[in-house]
Amino acid sequence: MPFPLLSTIFTRQIAGKETEMSRAGKIASWIIGILCLLIVVIIIVIATFDWNRLKPTINQKVSTELNRPFAIRGDLGVNWVRNRDEPGWRRWVPWPQIHAEDIMLGNPPDIPDVTMVHLQRADATISPLALLHKEIFIPWIKLQRPDARLIQTADKKNNWTFNLANSGEEEEQKQTPSAWSFRLDNILFDRGHITYRDAVNKANVKMDVDPLGKPVPYGQVAGGDDKQKGAADFVFGWRASGTYNDQQLQGSGKLGGMLSLRSKTTPFPVQAEVRNGTTRVNITGSLQDPMNLGGLDLRVRFSGDTLANLYELTGVLLPDTPPYETDGHLRVKFRDKDGAVFHYQNFNGHIGDSDIHGSLTYTQGKPRPKLSGEVESRQLRMADLGPLIGVNTGKGSEKTAKAKAQRGDTSTQPADRVLPHDRFDTKSWDVMDADVKFSGKRIEHSDSLPLSDLYTHLELKNGDLLLDPLRFGVAGGNLNATVRLEGSRTPMRGRADLHARKLHLRQLFPGVEAMQNSLGQLNGDASLNGNGNSVADLLATSNGEVKLLMNDGVISRSLMEIVGLNVGNYVVGKLFGDDEVRINCAAANLDLRNGLATSRLFVFDTTNAVINLSGNVNFANERMDLNINPESKGIRIITLRSPLYVRGTFKNPDAGVKTGPLLARGAAAVALGAVVTPAAALLALISPSDNEDNQCINVLQQMKK
């Protein structure tokens, strides 16, 4: 092919390629221009778009999803502002700042009120670059005048539980974690108002939350003795007033800000002083890792008229007591495998005039919460234990009675009865279990009954209460008991087994001068069981037996006066005059059936006579019918030939001399001949080490023969 022809073809191919490149460049330029124009148009549209046109769609969508009314009733808008805190080129990227005014969130249909939450205005900013990483990042939200109304009706329906329309879908999504994450750094507001109305807890409380203006250091509020370090500053203050459980409630305190609320390492500070009726609670401390409920570390002070009132505030079932005050360290673990665990450690305080110290743990486990730990009293006043068993005695009982009256509890004690009729509150025993050990080192009671070294192990499980052991030191000896109260039954069933050993008479009756020369002891056993919700009801239905043995004692009218037995004054006076008479042995073996105590054996062997008591005592109607048959050991006491009687009620007994023929000499001895078995049963109460000195050995051996 000639060279000029090749040159022409090559030139035309080059020209064609240049034309194609020029055409492609023009197309690319047009595409870029159109894209830029679209971006500009989008920016202009976004900048000039009336966002209020989206309100109906937003309101309807949110209302449908929440199953309750939602409305933005004011202006809705978006402003674009550069974030100058961002590094490098990021500071040139505009961030959308959204604002909405007059926002209302309503209640579900079964709540009578219309509005749950109202905001005058809400502002928030969103990071656009974070969306590229599938993260919704909101650095701050500002709320103006937030107003929340929390309501619970009598049928336990509330407005803070949300029934979402897509709850079923959410359950499926929980199995497949979302790739998106959410982050909120701070919430700011000028003043918040919260109303809490609860028909179940009989509450109507209003709370205001305000910024402090200037952060307050934690140590300035907690004091220098607080051991916590690194807690954030207080940012908000709050005040509350109203009623809770039909009692007046007042409270105030301080809280940290949202920045410390998000922190996993900086404790979130809390401080509160609350008064509900006569109960006062002061707390100062911190919450660790609040977003994940890491735990609480608080110093807590409680005080009030009775510990029973704390149940409504804390959910911990405690006994009815005289006025109290405690101060201790509370640590809470919310994410324990068995449920939330509350450790109230190294607390000190008092109940009535008794001091208390110890550590308790409350675990919110299944099937019931449980309270466990150890409590000690170095000086225990027995009168302060009275309300625990339904007996109002001693200082502090009046305040306790007033507190019970304020709660609507009234005494059921009849005017003509002596046994305690106040009822045990067993209906709440099944709300929790307990395993608590209690010891009282020094016990203050009275000179007439010296007690020491109280120890008991209390177990409450499924509504049943067990005290095993219940141990006292009494008059140089000891009293050991096991008490079981089955509160799960209606009426309650109770059982008590008691064993008294080596109670020294001179210590048991320190006010009797003649008894101070006595070397005698008192020993006894009792086993009783009955049904009822008071001490009186339990005794009125009781079955069991009582055995008592006393040797080498003294009986006199002065002794009867000290122990408060007015009828005893009469009987002793009729038998012995005003003289003190030595008792070689006193033995009793009583049988109880349906509240009726019958004497198998009840005998006093004195220097001058053998005195046999027979008859019965009825705990159901608190009446007695006893016969006292004396048998003189000599001719000096002629009056012993006449038998006596004691009848009437416990409160108003009657005593006198029986009319009729005189007892034949030796009648008492004949009666004792029929009590071989009861006498033999009492020999077990004599310790082997006391055989040589115990006068009851000879008396009981003679009865057996």
Side-chain angles (χ1 to χ4, degrees), residues 419-439:
L419 298 176
H421 279 68
D422 285 352
R423 301 178 68 81
F424 293 95
D425 186 17
T426 60
K427 64 179 181 295
S428 55
W429 285 11
D430 62 348
V431 301
M432 78 171 199
D433 293 340
D435 187 344
V436 178
K437 297 177 181 179
F438 177 80
S439 60

Side-chain angles (χ1 to χ4, degrees), residues 358-504:
S359 296
L360 293 169
T361 298
Y362 181 76
T363 305
Q364 291 181 330
K366 297 294 184 180
R368 288 170 300 278
K370 184 176 181 179
L371 180 70
S372 59
E374 297 187 8
V375 180
E376 176 188 83
S377 177
R378 294 160 192 165
Q379 179 158 330
L380 175 66
R381 190 171 182 269
M382 284 300 293
D384 296 329
L385 297 179
L388 275 66
I389 57 172
V391 180
N392 288 330
T393 58
K395 183 179 177 182
S397 295
E398 290 185 11
K399 293 183 178 180
T400 303
K402 290 180 180 178
K404 292 176 70 176
Q406 290 176 354
R407 300 194 307 269
D409 298 341
T410 56
S411 176
T412 57
Q413 183 70 26
D416 60 340
R417 295 299 178 97
V418 174
L419 298 176
H421 279 68
D422 285 352
R423 301 178 68 81
F424 293 95
D425 186 17
T426 60
K427 64 179 181 295
S428 55
W429 285 11
D430 62 348
V431 301
M432 78 171 199
D433 293 340
D435 187 344
V436 178
K437 297 177 181 179
F438 177 80
S439 60
K441 298 301 182 183
R442 183 177 180 275
I443 301 177
E444 176 189 344
H445 183 264
S446 65
D447 293 337
S448 61
L449 187 60
L451 302 174
S452 62
D453 296 329
L454 165 66
Y455 174 82
T456 187
H457 183 186
L458 180 151
E459 292 184 84
L460 179 64
K461 187 174 183 179
N462 197 24
D464 294 340
L465 177 65
L466 174 65
L467 300 175
D468 184 23
L470 173 59
R471 185 169 64 235
F472 286 92
V474 183
N478 59 78
L479 175 65
N480 284 281
T482 298
V483 179
R484 180 183 293 275
L485 301 176
E486 298 180 36
S488 58
R489 295 176 175 265
T490 304
M492 181 180 72
R493 176 183 295 178
R495 179 180 178 86
D497 294 290
L498 301 93
H499 308 279
R501 292 294 183 270
K502 295 187 177 182
L503 275 60
H504 297 278

Side-chain angles (χ1 to χ4, degrees), residues 613-655:
L613 277 73
S614 61
N616 60 70
V617 175
N618 194 324
F619 290 101
N621 56 20
E622 296 193 15
R623 299 189 67 87
M624 52 186 153
D625 186 2
L626 300 174
N627 297 313
I628 303 170
N629 299 311
E631 170 64 19
S632 175
K633 288 184 176 181
I635 61 173
R636 292 173 299 173
I637 306 180
I638 305 300
T639 58
L640 291 181
R641 294 172 180 266
S642 299
L644 306 176
Y645 67 84
V646 177
R647 300 169 183 161
T649 65
F650 292 0
K651 190 156 189 171
N652 297 301
D654 177 43

Side-chain angles (χ1 to χ4, degrees), residues 492-528:
M492 181 180 72
R493 176 183 295 178
R495 179 180 178 86
D497 294 290
L498 301 93
H499 308 279
R501 292 294 183 270
K502 295 187 177 182
L503 275 60
H504 297 278
L505 296 179
R506 61 183 177 183
Q507 297 183 39
L508 195 60
F509 303 104
V512 181
E513 183 177 353
M515 197 73 82
Q516 301 310 300
N517 297 322
S518 171
L519 299 177
Q521 297 178 357
L522 176 67
N523 296 281
D525 287 335
S527 178
L528 304 173

